[in-house]
Amino acid sequence: MAGSGLSVAVPYLMQEYRKSESAAVQLLTYNFLFLSIGNIFWVPLASKFGKRASLLLSMTLQAGALVWCATATSFSGLLAARCVQGFVGAAGESIVPELAADIFFLHQRASMMSIYVILISGGTAIGPLVNSLMVQYLPSTWRAFMWLCVALAAADIVLIFFLCPESNFQRPEWDATSPNGLDTTEAEKTNGSGEIFFENVIPEAGYTVRQPSLTEMIVPIRVDRNLNFFRAMVAPLHGLIRPAVIWVVLLYGCALSPQIIFIFTMSSLLEAPPYLFSSVAVGLMEVAALIGFLLACYGGGMLSDLINDHIVRRRGYGQARAEDRLLSLIPGMAIGPAGCVLLAFCCQNHLHWAAIAVGFGMVSFGSVYTPNIAITYLAHRHQRDAAQCLVLVNVVKNLVAFLFLYEAVEWVQSQGYLQAYLVMFVLGVATIAGAVPLYFFHRKQYVE
């Protein structure tokens, strides 16, 4: 919310600091860049000192960075504050998916991941919507929005302290038979893989549930003395040789870029003739994005879980393959690319604003639906290394999106919306099509 909220205030920032549009947009793009870089730091920190402690530290630092943003008097000072705010805010993007994978079972995972995705994506829509009201009706304009974000960050610190569990603990290794009657060694030979996980263990084996003491709850730091912090920072790079990781990175980056590009450029499009929108009207366009997010939350979450559960039941023995999750891409995979085509022609030819809103909702749907299914698939496919894979996904997909965003304003101004969004359409179709070889080449290797 704090990261994208300034998008509707770009004209006011240009006037206040006497900067061009491309310079003012740097307040958004560099925030996005440091959001990417921060993932490299926060996930190893969470592994070393605990996820709960890292989230508390991140939110405390973010509150301080937002105070700096609200009180900045120069453009360079505001840009530096925005970079710091992006870096410290990366913890929420990288640690939370890992926490969800830690504490929820396979049949719940897509639904829970979709709640995470819709909240973090919904923030990109709610921020501009709220800020549009503030910049038009409050004398302190965008600074009031920054103070609102400070208050929300302070509330988050309290909520994390009392409600966020610590999920860093050693899970037991069960010596159990597989559902088809084979022991682990025979099952490994049959399936050609050493990665077999059992979520339904034999009745005699059970987890011990222990209530943490008051001291453990008050002092959130849980140090893993066996973990080398710097080695953990470079460990995710091994994921670059895994086809599933490369596919998810490219899919997520190409699905996110069309929606973010429009957020960054819609103020200049809609406030100019023939639309002549006010700041509030520009902000209300985010309602279309919120509708797209809500529909994608159901499609990429609950519907995906239902499809996966149906496939597992039909196969028998309760065997679930990670590649089964890819089949749930089919119902809504074309909506995002189709939205790119609609935005390309509507924005280029200045068609009715309602058509632009529909296209914006469609690309917003695509920015949540396919990435959520892809992340759930990846967390299942490489379950033991899910944390490292998610770090790499968050770092690289943000870098992919940043490369487009860095040149987005000048690209649209020089070449027009038609070329920009048709390129996004081609990339979107190509990355979704990458699921086909993954499904056919890997579907028989991993059984859970």
Side-chain angles (χ1 to χ4, degrees), residues 264-429:
F264 283 19
T265 60
M266 69 178 178
S267 293
S268 58
L269 171 70
L270 298 175
E271 291 182 6
Y275 302 108
L276 299 175
F277 275 23
S278 64
S279 296
V280 173
V282 173
L284 288 173
M285 289 290 287
E286 297 290 349
V287 174
L290 289 172
I291 294 173
F293 292 150
L294 289 171
L295 293 175
C297 179
Y298 170 76
M302 186 183 300
L303 181 62
S304 175
D305 279 336
L306 289 174
I307 293 173
N308 192 68
D309 187 55
H310 178 71
I311 293 170
V312 172
R313 290 178 186 275
R314 287 191 60 182
R315 180 177 293 121
Y317 299 111
Q319 295 179 359
R321 296 185 177 95
E323 282 65 32
D324 296 338
R325 185 72 64 175
L326 298 177
L327 293 175
S328 56
L329 286 170
I330 295 173
M333 64 182 181
I335 294 178
C340 291
V341 175
L342 184 59
L343 277 181
F345 288 97
C346 290
C347 296
Q348 183 70 24
N349 299 306
H350 298 289
L351 301 183
H352 197 276
W353 64 267
I356 297 177
V358 172
F360 186 33
M362 291 173 70
V363 298
S364 299
F365 177 94
S367 70
V368 172
Y369 180 84
T370 51
N372 182 72
I373 295 173
I375 289 176
T376 308
Y377 155 71
L378 184 63
H380 186 176
R381 180 72 167 77
H382 298 294
Q383 186 168 343
R384 294 184 181 180
D385 301 321
Q388 297 178 6
C389 293
L390 290 172
V391 174
L392 198 62
V393 167
N394 282 312
V395 171
V396 183
K397 64 93 173 173
N398 282 344
L399 288 176
V400 171
F402 170 76
L403 293 176
F404 289 112
L405 298 178
Y406 187 75
E407 297 292 338
V409 174
E410 294 183 0
W411 187 15
V412 168
Q413 288 176 345
S414 61
Q415 304 297 327
Y417 281 94
L418 185 64
Q419 184 191 87
Y421 274 97
L422 288 183
V423 169
M424 293 292 100
F425 165 77
V426 172
L427 292 174
V429 171

Side-chain angles (χ1 to χ4, degrees), residues 17 25-26 47 88 159 212 225 235 269 281 298 300 304 306 326 356 401:
Y17 293 109
V25 169
Q26 289 180 1
S47 300
V88 298
L159 291 173
R225 303 189 185 280
L269 171 70
Y298 170 76
S304 175
L306 289 174
L326 298 177
I356 297 177

